[in-house]
Amino acid sequence: MLKELVYNDLMARGKTEPVAKEWAAVAAEFEQVCGTKESYARTEVTAFLTHLRKRGILQSTIDKDLKAIKLLAQIQGWEFPKLSLRRVSPDEIRRTILSKDSIGSLITLGTQGLLSDTELCYLALATTYGLRRVEMVRLKPSSFPNEHHLIVDTAKGGSKTTHLLPPQIVPYLASFRHYEADTLTHMFHRIAQKAGLSTGAGYGWHSIRRSLATELTL
């Protein structure tokens, strides 16, 4: 189904048949991984991205394949999510990073009612978007214009980006309060301690970001 959608669209645009077949093959692979649907969520696109990376193909090829999925999103009328977390370099991987199991422990802790409402709020933001501490500091009530979107003032000279809010985390965001950097650092270590994790110097919210970019390949 998806294969035909992409193929027919490209042929109607006047693209060559080899290109149409190549992109259609990507759509077919996407359908095999994510199932046949009329629209897809960020989690499903991320699952496909993980699938591509496990194949060990070049990043340039991955970028090209994702263009086919962006076209599919345009055809079907759903919003292609921002996949802004790059794969970190080997040097960065050697920095503090939480394992996949550790991230799971933090999330499980939240479901057990052992975190405060504000701790749950920031943990949800960190594990969903991999926000840097400075990006958390820049958050304010206006960063949540409605129950569907989050606006992030990105670090390192980046522009503001708008993200879709998964409905699963929306209830936690109602407890949002602004905190300065030091308070957020203490909050991270407090959450980690509750989860029984050993986090010494160098660990922080960025450790979750690195985990999302490597262990969980978001």
Side-chain angles (χ1 to χ4, degrees), residues 93-140:
I93 292 174
R94 287 196 290 270
R95 299 176 188 175
T96 57
I97 181 173
L98 294 176
S99 68
K100 183 188 303 183
D101 290 340
S102 295
I103 296 294
S105 297
L106 294 176
I107 296 174
T108 299
L109 188 69
T111 64
Q112 294 174 339
L114 300 177
L115 299 180
S116 70
D117 291 341
T118 51
E119 288 171 345
L120 277 171
C121 173
Y122 278 93
L123 181 61
L125 290 169
T127 55
T128 301
Y129 302 105
L131 298 183
R132 303 174 177 90
R133 185 182 65 170
V134 65
E135 292 168 345
M136 291 181 171
V137 171
R138 293 174 181 175
L139 292 176
K140 46 189 178 293

Side-chain angles (χ1 to χ4, degrees), residues 24-207:
V26 176
E29 186 176 1
F30 179 79
E31 185 172 13
Q32 183 178 11
V33 173
C34 302
T36 304
K37 299 182 179 181
E38 294 183 357
S39 65
Y40 295 86
R42 182 179 189 273
T43 53
E44 292 155 333
V45 177
T46 300
F48 182 63
L49 175 59
T50 302
H51 164 77
L52 294 178
R53 286 178 172 169
K54 286 182 177 179
R55 287 174 51 195
I57 60 180
L58 295 175
Q59 184 62 44
S60 58
T61 302
I62 291 176
D63 293 339
K64 182 180 66 174
D65 287 353
L66 289 178
K67 289 181 180 179
I69 308 308
K70 289 180 181 179
L71 174 61
L72 175 65
Q74 180 182 348
I75 295 170
Q76 290 188 306
W78 49 274
E79 184 174 355
F80 187 88
K82 292 182 180 295
L83 301 173
S84 57
L85 291 180
R86 60 176 176 79
R87 300 186 77 176
V88 296
S89 65
D91 288 339
E92 191 170 2
I93 292 174
R94 287 196 290 270
R95 299 176 188 175
T96 57
I97 181 173
L98 294 176
S99 68
K100 183 188 303 183
D101 290 340
S102 295
I103 296 294
S105 297
L106 294 176
I107 296 174
T108 299
L109 188 69
T111 64
Q112 294 174 339
L114 300 177
L115 299 180
S116 70
D117 291 341
T118 51
E119 288 171 345
L120 277 171
C121 173
Y122 278 93
L123 181 61
L125 290 169
T127 55
T128 301
Y129 302 105
L131 298 183
R132 303 174 177 90
R133 185 182 65 170
V134 65
E135 292 168 345
M136 291 181 171
V137 171
R138 293 174 181 175
L139 292 176
K140 46 189 178 293
S142 59
S143 300
F144 306 87
N146 53 58
E147 64 180 9
H148 302 295
H149 296 94
L150 165 68
I151 300 174
V152 176
D153 188 0
T154 56
K156 299 185 178 180
S159 59
K160 291 185 178 181
T161 58
T162 301
H163 302 269
L164 289 175
L165 289 173
Q168 295 87 345
I169 73 168
V170 170
Y172 304 126
L173 304 184
S175 301
F176 171 79
R177 291 177 56 190
H178 175 267
Y179 290 105
E180 295 299 333
D182 287 346
T183 302
L184 288 173
T185 296
H186 291 311
M187 182 188 296
F188 169 83
H189 288 287
R190 188 167 62 246
I191 293 173
Q193 185 177 26
K194 290 181 180 180
L197 302 180
S198 177
T199 53
Y203 279 88
W205 295 106
H206 211 121
S207 303

